[in-house]
Amino acid sequence: MGTAVQVSPLIVHPIFKETHIDTPHKSLNFSKKLVKTQSFRDICKQGSLKEAFVSLSDGLADQKRSQDCFDEHYSLVLELCGSQKALFQGQQIHTRVLKSDHVYDQVFLGTKLVFFYGKCGVFSDARKVFDEMSERSVFTWNAMMGAYVTNGEPFEALELHREMWVSGNSPDAWTFTSVLKACGECIEICHGKQIHGLVIKHGLFTNVFVLNALMAMYTKCRDQNAAMLLFDRMVETKDVVSWNSIISGFNANGQYMKALSSFRDMQVTEIFPTTYTFVITLQACEELVFLNFGKQIHASVLKSSHYADIYVANALIVMYSKCGKMAEAAIIFFDMEVKDNISWNSMLSGLVQNGLYDETREMFREMQKARYEPDKCSVLSMLATSGRLRNIFIGMELHAYTIKNGIDGDLQVGNTLIDMYAKCCKIDNMNNVFNRILFKDGISWTTIIAGYIQNNCHLKAIQFFREALLKRVNVDSMMIGSILQACSRLHCILLVKELHGYTMRRELSDIVQENTFLDLYGECGNVNYAFHLFEQMKIKDVVSWTSMISCYVNNRRANEGLALFLSMIAAGIKSDSVALVSALSAAADLSSLRKGKEIHGFLIRKGFIKEGHVAGSLLDMYACCGAVQNSWKVFSSVDDKDLVLWTTMINAYGMHGYGETAIRLFQMMVGEKILPDHISFLALLYACSHSSLVDEGRKYFKSMICEYKLEPWPEHYVCLVDMLGRANQLDEAFQFVESMEVEPTAAVYCALLNACRIHHNKEGSDLAAKKLLELDPWDPGNYVLISNVYASQGRWDDVEEVRTKMKEKGLKKDPACSWIEVGNNVHTFTAGDKSHPESDKIHRKLASITRRLEIEGGYVAQTNFVLHNVDEKEKVKMLQGHSERLAIAYGLLTNSSGAPIRITKNLRICDDCHYFSKLVSKLYGCEIIARDANRFHHFVGGVCSCRNFW
């Protein structure tokens, strides 16, 4: 009976069972009632609650009216209240129903009340009405299940479905539709498959509504294949909902191309898209690669009747925004006759995503002028904008707005406030917001940890991370990534190991984190740990290989880095520009011109040569390999030169002793309207220092401060002190150090001490040595320099004292070594080295060279440069075994083409070897290009490019 009542309550209402249809009077009364009831239905259809209540009150006051129409009137008003979510008015009708003595169909009105409360989101009241009903129809069960599903309680809906089966009520198509929707929300595919079986058993497999619900369930449960099988079997029953379900399913699974193909297939079938169709299809175009498809759909929208649809317009705004086309999004937005908060929020969000923060502020003002009340989404966009612009005043105004409107307690708003204050460097405000959040999630902890890291409070970040662990916060990869940044800044190997162990125990490691740990171990100087991790990685991508190569290069193991790069190529890993730049750095450190040229060729073949940072690395590689002419060719080939490229070229000329050329290049750069920065001036001052251009150096140091308003870095002071010291203007150098506005660093006194060594200034060297050890007592290079200064002055007791201090501190001197590239290999030599396979030949060749230099060139070993307290014979022997001489001898042995001999030394070349190299270049008619720790030396015809100034 319940089913019949819902379909046509006026015809089969119980009162009509007593009516004699063949009586004319009765038939007339029925017609009148039908007309009047229809009139009330029309009032309700117009959607005016006020008119509906007035009409209902008039009807109830009319005592002459038959009572059989009250159920229909109540049901119509309840439907209207439900559609408008008018809870209070609906509750009044509920009260009237309870008090009325003329309600005939309790099941019918009870079902309507359940439906009404479900529509209003008060499913607890809906359940109360449901439980108090002594009799229920299938529609009652459907209404209650629908209430649960609509209000986000799918598990309750499934439980109710079980109760329905136990009670013996037979489901209909709408029952299965609600249950399948609940299965999709719960990701209960097993339960969904059971319902699928029941659908077949009840003969509803051809019902388009049920089939659409089945497809939607399989889609939400990530079984798109099952959804497609159902869809393909719907030959004649496919409607627009079916197509929407399949397009939506492809979207949910990230199969955007298939979603777009389905939309095209739908157009072929001549089924007209709905608003929802256009919205979900545009969602598939929210990546730049699908922009053309999005434009085609936009054209379809313009041809259809949906152009004025606000939902479609909003979807178009979002699509263009996510594709970075804000101009197109703005055109659509400003053409909209009717906008809602979603329209404004979509524009605000799009502007923020595309970095247009000033435009975001302007759009927010326009929103306020249009009298749209900013909601949570608007505030989130503006908070993000305030953070990016570092505008604390707007950020604080928004914070006050959130408090005033009661949304400051929202978790997402709180997290965004933390981020905004962090970016504005307001740590106290950031911490206060964090403490006020009652129920913090992992994002809250991650955001505040990242905030402390952004403000260089790395220890505080680690403290909060430990606190998060104690509170059993769910640590994800994002939080680990944030704390790894703190480890990177602190260079604390113990902390890195501890965190690495934690991620391994919790199985939180992924390839991104493993690559980060590779970088961290490299930054902390633990190359062996890094390589062990690299070997243990089950999956290695190009970033893994690049990180390990960089680890070797940054820890002075360029030979191994270059070998690993070759292994990467052999393993078939596709190199990117970053990997190739790392390989170029390795070639530059080794001065391996052959390998550098091979990588250059690889860059050309792969098309990376046009990338700015690649050109800079290539230029630097050639400069470090002594081929400054090639550096200039690379520089000249770049059309759009940036500041970095100009600076790299200036530095290249500076390290080769071409100071005048470096200055001309600097002037050309300024002429191109490119403003120099700190690094540009550093390269220029370096060039002046190594070319004895003292006046020019003073001039540009002053220009940096006065003309360009750049505050000097400690490195700039070091350059100027070094320049004055090398030019034997020690008094001015000391006066300059004393007049410095900032505290002199250890490097400043190191430069002074080296100048005192060159110019034999005992008093100055004692002062500089004392200051140097006070400022940096843990650098072994400082002790070596001081020891060499004392040795050059014959102060052997002081030398012994310095060396004793080194031993007590556990410091060791880096052994001198030189290397030379021959063929495809780099050969390394240390002083007196006999480990080379051709050692005997090399030593015989060196002895032969030395004899010829003595006979034809008048070479006499300058033993005063041997800084050891041994006899003269031993000093001569020590000089003749220096590593750069062994490299030169091997170069003469193997060089049959007459190409320049290129050698590299990790320390400064000594004066005697410098003289030795000049004589070799003259008597053997060869060019020797030597790179030491300070600069390049080009030996040609007995003359060095450094002009004895290094």
Side-chain angles (χ1 to χ4, degrees), residues 251-492:
N251 272 359
N253 289 284
Q255 297 172 294
Y256 304 120
M257 186 57 76
K258 288 186 177 181
L260 296 170
S261 298
S262 297
F263 176 73
R264 284 184 172 178
D265 293 341
M266 174 184 173
Q267 289 178 307
V268 171
T269 62
E270 297 183 354
I271 291 178
F272 294 104
T274 62
T275 295
Y276 183 69
T277 312
F278 281 120
V279 170
I280 59 175
T281 309
L282 285 168
Q283 287 173 356
C285 302
E286 291 176 358
E287 292 183 10
L288 189 57
V289 68
F290 298 118
L291 178 60
N292 287 333
F293 289 98
K295 289 180 177 179
Q296 291 172 21
I297 295 166
H298 189 178
S300 298
V301 170
L302 292 172
K303 293 176 184 177
S304 72
S305 60
H306 294 279
Y307 180 67
D309 194 300
I310 192 170
Y311 301 105
V312 176
N314 289 341
L316 281 166
I317 291 171
V318 172
M319 185 271 291
Y320 279 119
S321 298
K322 291 193 174 180
C323 291
K325 301 293 181 181
M326 285 310 301
E328 288 83 349
I331 290 171
I332 294 166
F333 176 79
F334 288 113
D335 279 349
M336 292 172 69
E337 293 182 4
V338 179
K339 302 179 182 71
D340 60 6
N341 266 46
I342 295 174
S343 313
W344 288 96
N345 289 337
S346 297
M347 277 301 294
L348 288 171
S349 177
L351 291 167
V352 172
Q353 289 167 15
N354 288 278
L356 302 171
Y357 305 120
D358 291 325
E359 290 80 356
T360 308
R361 289 171 58 188
E362 189 60 35
M363 182 62 68
F364 187 72
R365 292 193 192 100
E366 291 297 321
M367 180 180 180
Q368 291 177 306
K369 287 179 185 176
R371 297 187 178 180
Y372 281 91
E373 191 70 20
D375 58 10
K376 187 182 87 170
C377 293
S378 318
V379 170
L380 289 173
S381 293
M382 282 306 297
L383 284 173
T385 298
S386 303
R388 301 300 192 282
L389 293 174
R390 309 289 193 270
N391 193 323
I392 187 62
F393 300 107
I394 293 178
M396 294 183 80
E397 286 178 4
L398 289 164
H399 191 180
Y401 179 86
T402 64
I403 296 171
K404 182 179 177 181
N405 289 273
I407 59 174
D408 60 314
D410 181 88
L411 184 59
Q412 193 175 3
V413 171
N415 292 340
T416 310
L417 280 167
I418 294 171
D419 182 65
M420 182 273 293
Y421 280 124
K423 285 182 169 61
C424 293
C425 304
K426 294 293 182 181
I427 298 175
D428 290 340
N429 299 58
M430 174 186 77
N431 203 46
N432 288 338
V433 172
F434 178 79
N435 289 333
R436 287 176 64 86
I437 297 176
L438 295 178
F439 303 102
K440 304 173 182 68
D441 63 358
I443 296 174
S444 312
W445 288 93
T446 302
T447 307
I448 196 163
I449 288 169
Y452 278 118
I453 292 168
Q454 290 168 23
N455 289 277
N456 296 317
C457 302
H458 305 118
L459 291 175
K460 193 74 174 176
I462 291 168
Q463 176 188 332
F464 267 74
F465 177 69
R466 295 189 188 281
E467 189 176 338
L469 294 179
L470 291 173
K471 291 183 180 295
R472 301 186 182 278
V473 174
N474 183 30
V475 176
D476 58 8
S477 58
M478 188 174 292
M479 189 183 295
I480 294 293
S482 294
I483 204 67
L484 284 175
Q485 292 181 38
C487 296
S488 175
R489 306 287 174 79
L490 292 171
H491 293 285
C492 178

